[in-house]
Amino acid sequence: MSTHESTDAEIVARSRDRPEEFAELYRRRARPVFSYVAARLGADAAEDVTSATFLVALERLDRYDTAVPNALPWLLGIATRLIRRHRRDEVATWKALAREGAAAGFDRDGDLIDQDRADVDSQIDAANAARRIAGAVASLAQRDRDVLALTAWSDLDSAGIADALGIPEGTVRSRLHRARRILRTHLDADTTRNSEEDHGRNRRAALDAQQ
């Protein structure tokens, strides 16, 4: 009895003649695609975009390079291009997080904050940091936000992200570096501003106490 598990590429190849085989790729890859889209657009939009991603993939089976065994970069690339049609929704979501606070976000280095493994104090600090820089994420150029999001919310390395977006790996690193620099600059400026405001309040309180 064979124990061979088909690669994504083998499923795609079979699906070209037997479209019903494509259901196996959906079962295998729908969850990571949905999770990625939901992180950017919210769960409501993610269901539609995920379905659209696999419909587009099914229509473009002949374009897939079957020398590449893992189809996830291809699928996430399709999802990313579909997400761009919802740019206003994504930006509005980040702006709302900036106003209301975020359950998850990026730290000063542009890495995803994992609050599940953090203690209570770290969770508070992480949430505050995420809220402060959510506006900066919203202001990023679409191409930079795509790279940042794929880095944070997918298991792809820089080579996989390059495949997903159809750009050189060096461009991925350049865009990620730029996005992280913008986030760090925004957070540093916000921290300085808050410190100055605290100093001003303390100074006024001390003067009031002397009167």
Side-chain angles (χ1 to χ4, degrees), residues 2-186:
S2 175
T3 59
H4 172 72
E5 181 179 13
S6 297
T7 66
D8 294 349
E10 289 170 338
I11 296 172
V12 169
R14 292 198 301 267
S15 299
R16 289 170 176 169
D17 295 323
R18 301 189 300 275
E20 65 275 11
E21 296 277 351
F22 191 73
E24 177 59 29
L25 186 65
Y26 180 86
R27 285 192 291 270
R28 181 180 294 185
R29 298 302 187 186
R31 183 180 294 274
V33 172
F34 178 90
S35 297
Y36 166 67
V37 179
R40 297 189 65 173
L41 297 179
D44 291 341
E47 187 171 342
D48 290 340
V49 173
T50 299
S51 295
T53 295
F54 282 90
L55 284 174
V56 171
L58 184 59
E59 294 170 353
R60 298 179 179 177
L61 290 176
D62 290 341
R63 302 184 189 182
Y64 185 76
D65 181 2
T66 53
V68 181
N70 182 1
L72 186 58
W74 178 56
L75 293 168
L76 290 178
I78 294 172
T80 298
R81 287 185 284 277
L82 292 173
I83 286 171
R84 290 171 185 166
R85 301 178 184 177
H86 297 261
R87 179 181 178 278
R88 290 183 179 178
D89 294 334
E90 183 182 18
V91 170
T93 297
W94 279 106
K95 288 182 177 178
L97 293 177
R99 293 191 303 269
E100 302 166 9
F106 300 99
D107 63 17
R108 67 188 298 120
D109 292 319
D111 294 321
L112 187 66
I113 296 170
D114 184 355
Q115 292 179 284
D116 291 337
R117 295 197 297 268
D119 58 28
V120 174
D121 289 339
S122 294
Q123 286 187 24
I124 293 172
D125 291 342
N128 287 337
R131 182 171 59 250
R132 290 199 301 271
I133 65 176
V137 175
S139 71
L140 290 173
Q142 181 73 61
R143 61 183 180 273
D144 295 341
R145 191 164 57 248
D146 288 342
V147 170
L148 185 66
L150 283 166
T151 300
W153 290 312
S154 79
D155 293 329
L156 303 183
D157 56 16
S158 58
I161 294 172
D163 288 341
L165 299 179
I167 58 178
E169 190 173 351
T171 301
V172 170
R173 290 193 292 267
S174 175
R175 291 180 182 178
L176 182 60
H177 175 75
R178 180 168 57 237
R180 286 173 164 171
R181 186 182 69 246
I182 291 171
L183 297 188
R184 283 196 299 269
T185 300
H186 182 89

